[in-house]
């Protein structure tokens, strides 16, 4: 199956376990991999025969900006479900949500959640 990768979608949001994370917010990075048949688009060169990336990016940005979940897992799941609901072309989606500056003492790394969901 063919794939579209959208990487480095950076947005400011309010998901986090600590109350201050849901008030002050922080930066998140989202990568998605979308499985769909791109054969027709490869032949016709028509956007109508593929997925409009702008729509997916906008959906992700809106969810990150407006959600106030405690867990990254919930945010990643909401992104996956939303993409699958909005496009009948996408048969499977992989979402990676990264918190580049998690407020954990003495930890300078990143935290990422990766999940894969198929069309239901």
């Amino acid at each position: 199956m063919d794939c579209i990768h959208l990487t480095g979608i950076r947005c400011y949001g309010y998901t986090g376990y600590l109350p201050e994370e849901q008030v002050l917010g922080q930066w998140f990075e989202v990568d998605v991999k979308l499985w769909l048949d791109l054969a027709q688009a490869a032949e016709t060169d028509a956007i109508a025969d593929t997925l409009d990336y702008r729509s997916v990016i906008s959906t992700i940005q809106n969810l990150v900006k407006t959600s106030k979940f405690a867990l990254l897992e919930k945010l990643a799941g909401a992104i996956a479900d939303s993409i699958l609901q909005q496009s009948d072309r996408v048969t499977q989606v992989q979402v990676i949500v990264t918190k580049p500056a998690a407020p954990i003492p003495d930890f300078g790394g990143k935290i990422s959640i990766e999940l894969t969901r198929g069309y239901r």
Side-chain angles (χ1 to χ4, degrees):
M1 184 59 65
D2 307 319
C3 291
I4 295 174
H5 296 249
L6 302 173
T7 61
I9 303 167
R10 190 167 155 84
C11 344
Y12 202 83
Y14 300 90
T15 291
Y17 179 72
L18 301 174
E20 56 268 27
E21 292 179 279
Q22 293 189 10
V23 173
L24 300 175
Q26 61 199 297
W27 287 101
F28 294 86
E29 294 175 4
V30 180
D31 300 325
V32 294
K33 184 175 181 181
L34 311 162
W35 282 265
L36 66 159
D37 185 354
L38 297 173
Q40 189 171 357
E43 288 182 27
T44 64
D45 195 29
I47 196 166
D49 294 329
T50 189
L51 182 68
D52 186 345
Y53 323 143
R54 297 169 298 180
S55 173
V56 175
I57 292 167
S58 178
T59 295
I60 292 167
Q61 289 172 329
N62 186 53
L63 276 167
V64 173
K65 290 175 185 176
T66 61
S67 299
K68 288 194 176 188
F69 301 126
L71 301 178
L72 285 178
E73 292 86 342
K74 177 71 174 178
L75 179 58
I79 291 169
D81 290 345
S82 183
I83 291 170
L84 288 170
Q85 288 170 2
Q86 288 181 9
S87 175
D88 59 354
R89 292 183 187 272
V90 177
T91 59
Q92 186 171 311
V93 61
Q94 177 188 66
V95 178
I96 301 172
V97 177
T98 301
K99 189 183 281 193
I104 299 173
D106 300 320
F107 176 73
K110 298 179 180 181
I111 296 174
S112 296
I113 299 297
E114 176 181 327
L115 58 79
T116 303
R117 298 286 183 267
Y119 188 71
R120 303 172 205 200

